[in-house]
Amino acid sequence: MVALYPIVIEDMRIEDIDAVQEVERASFPIPWPANAFRHELTQNKNAHYIVAKEGERIVGYAGLWLSLDEAHITTFAVLPDQRRRKIGERMLVAIFDKAAKLGAEWLTLEVRASNMPAQRLYEKYGFRPAGVRRRYYSDNNEDAIIMWTERLRDRAVRERVESLRAALEEQP
C-alpha cells in the first residue's frame, strides 16, 4: 500500500475512540472496551495516549501510565495491514518523548513471549528483558516478557533515541 499522507503522531482525543477501537479489535483477541479508553482519557490523570494518523485515518495508538518515576507502556497497536511501515517505531519515539517530558526516569512494558517483532523493536530502542509474568495474557495464558530501559536521562539512551529518530526522519 502506498502512503498518501505522512504519518502524524498526536495526543489521543475522545473523538478518536471509535477509530482506536477499530485498531484494538483488529489487533487483540480481547479488546479493551470503548469506556475503558474514555475513562483513561477523562479520569486517569496518570494516563497519556497517542494516536498515529495517516491523513484523518487512525492507523495506530499507544498509551502509558506515569507512576512516580516510571512510565509503563500499557497498550501499543498498529492496524495489521499497516504494519512494517515504521508506524510503531514512530509511535515508540513519541512515547520516549512523552515519558521524558513527564519526568519519567524509565520506560517499562510487557510483551507477549511469542511477539518477536515487537521484542526486536523494543530491544532496538534499548529495552532489555527483566523478568517474566507467567500466564499473563488471559486469552491463551501466554507468558509476558517484562522489559525495561536504562535511565531515560542517561546520555547513551538519549543518543540512541536521537540517532534512531534521525534515521526515521530520513525515510518517507
Side-chain angles (χ1 to χ4, degrees):
M1 172 181 229
V2 176
L4 301 175
Y5 301 97
I7 300 299
V8 175
I9 310 294
E10 56 189 45
D11 288 339
M12 186 187 294
R13 303 168 312 178
I14 294 288
E15 305 84 62
D16 297 330
I17 291 175
D18 287 343
V20 166
Q21 283 286 185
E22 290 179 30
V23 179
E24 179 80 2
R25 284 190 298 271
S27 300
F28 300 112
I30 301 176
W32 279 16
N35 65 344
F37 286 102
R38 190 167 287 103
H39 179 269
E40 289 291 280
L41 294 177
T42 62
Q43 304 297 314
N44 185 349
K45 293 179 181 166
N46 295 319
H48 304 272
Y49 287 80
I50 59 172
V51 292
K53 288 185 170 182
E54 184 175 40
E56 292 302 310
R57 182 180 183 213
I58 291 176
V59 295
Y61 71 93
L64 67 80
W65 290 341
L66 182 66
S67 180
L68 299 176
D69 58 359
E70 74 181 53
H72 184 126
I73 298 174
T74 56
T75 189
F76 198 100
V78 175
L79 280 170
D81 68 345
Q82 298 298 308
R83 293 178 186 159
R84 304 193 62 76
R85 293 184 52 211
K86 306 279 186 190
I87 295 167
E89 191 165 351
R90 292 175 194 281
M91 289 193 314
L92 189 56
V93 168
I95 288 287
F96 268 89
D97 292 345
K98 187 164 286 293
K101 181 180 175 185
L102 292 167
E105 290 285 328
W106 296 275
L107 270 168
T108 185
L109 55 82
E110 291 93 9
V111 60
R112 286 182 184 267
S114 65
N115 192 344
M116 296 311 295
Q119 288 178 48
R120 282 192 296 273
L121 174 63
Y122 300 141
E123 288 172 353
K124 178 178 177 179
Y125 278 80
F127 284 86
R128 296 291 172 251
V132 175
R133 295 195 198 283
R134 300 275 177 225
R135 303 170 64 85
Y136 182 75
Y137 293 99
S138 60
D139 63 312
N140 65 357
N141 292 316
E142 183 174 357
D143 293 347
I145 307 299
I146 305 164
M147 301 182 84
W148 284 84
T149 61
E150 297 295 323
R151 284 184 182 269
L152 298 179
R153 64 182 167 175
D154 286 356
R155 183 178 188 169
V157 173
R158 290 192 327 266
E159 287 176 353
R160 177 195 299 255
V161 172
E162 288 311 312
S163 173
L164 291 167
R165 178 197 316 272
L168 266 177
E169 289 174 356
E170 290 176 6
Q171 298 178 9

